[in-house]
Amino acid sequence: MTQNNTVRITGGSSGLGLEFDKLFAKDKYNLVLVAQDSEKLSRAKDELEKTFGVTIKTISKDLSKFNSSQEIFDELKKDEIKIYILVNNAGFSKYGFFNDISIEEDSSAINVNVFALTNLTKLFLRQMLERNEGKILNIAYTAAFAPGTLRAVQFATDAYVLSFAEA
């Protein structure tokens, strides 16, 4: 994997993450795609490599698990892959009344949307600062601008992402 143009994207196997994949691959960036679903990752990898001729590494990881961010960082460090652009796109929430959603589901969403994003940013930022180069894109949706019903945790965590990124 070429070391001077590698992008790491969470949530890179579908939706907005897959669209980011395509944009970076079109511009000939090599990619490290991180998502939970290994089958979707494999399909995205095959499609992007065939279409754009870039090198892609996939990491299947559940970002709601506490150590997942460190495990991703350690795996890339072991493989000597330096990330020059970090795209924190992974996120989810459960739709419904707050009191009907389990604390486990809310905790998982907060771990992905807040903790994993923060930890990945901290881990990769240190390397970027040491090299004096790199970029970070933290994705928040328009939910970041106002509270909302039926997705309280989503709106709150998007507000965190926006505030964190601006800070």
Side-chain angles (χ1 to χ4, degrees):
M1 198 171 256
T2 305
Q3 296 301 310
N4 62 354
N5 70 339
T6 303
V7 179
R8 206 252 326 124
I9 301 171
T10 58
S13 64
S14 62
L16 188 57
L18 185 58
E19 296 307 312
F20 278 116
D21 299 344
K22 292 174 185 176
L23 291 172
F24 281 110
K26 181 180 176 188
D27 289 340
K28 299 301 180 196
Y29 284 92
N30 293 316
L31 303 173
V32 175
L33 307 182
V34 179
Q36 190 171 355
D37 188 325
S38 59
E39 289 181 23
K40 283 185 180 179
L41 277 171
S42 181
R43 282 194 301 271
K45 178 183 192 268
D46 292 346
E47 174 191 339
L48 294 164
E49 285 180 336
K50 179 181 173 186
T51 304
F52 300 104
V54 295
T55 302
I56 298 174
K57 175 179 179 64
T58 61
I59 301 174
S60 178
K61 198 64 72 173
D62 180 353
L63 292 175
S64 71
K65 305 299 181 208
F66 182 76
N67 288 330
S68 61
S69 303
Q70 187 68 51
E71 291 168 357
I72 293 165
F73 180 80
D74 290 345
E75 182 174 336
L76 295 176
K77 189 173 182 179
K78 179 185 68 105
D79 292 344
E80 298 181 359
I81 298 172
K82 295 177 183 162
I83 301 301
Y84 285 81
I85 301 174
L86 173 66
V87 180
N88 286 316
N89 173 67
F92 80 97
S93 70
K94 185 82 172 181
Y95 179 83
F97 292 107
F98 181 74
N99 62 311
D100 292 337
I101 299 169
S102 74
I103 190 64
E104 292 80 15
E105 291 171 308
D106 282 340
S107 294
S108 289
I110 292 167
N111 284 344
V112 172
N113 302 357
V114 174
F115 180 74
L117 176 139
T118 304
N119 197 31
L120 288 166
T121 300
K122 186 174 288 285
L123 290 166
F124 287 101
L125 177 62
R126 288 180 179 144
Q127 287 186 336
M128 291 175 182
L129 291 172
E130 287 172 8
R131 291 190 316 264
N132 199 30
E133 64 181 331
K135 298 175 184 176
I136 298 172
L137 177 61
N138 291 322
I139 305 298
Y141 296 92
T142 56
F145 295 99
T149 59
L150 303 177
R151 288 216 168 172
V153 170
Q154 176 77 51
F155 281 65
T157 57
D158 277 345
Y160 172 86
V161 173
L162 177 63
S163 179
F164 175 72
E166 288 180 344

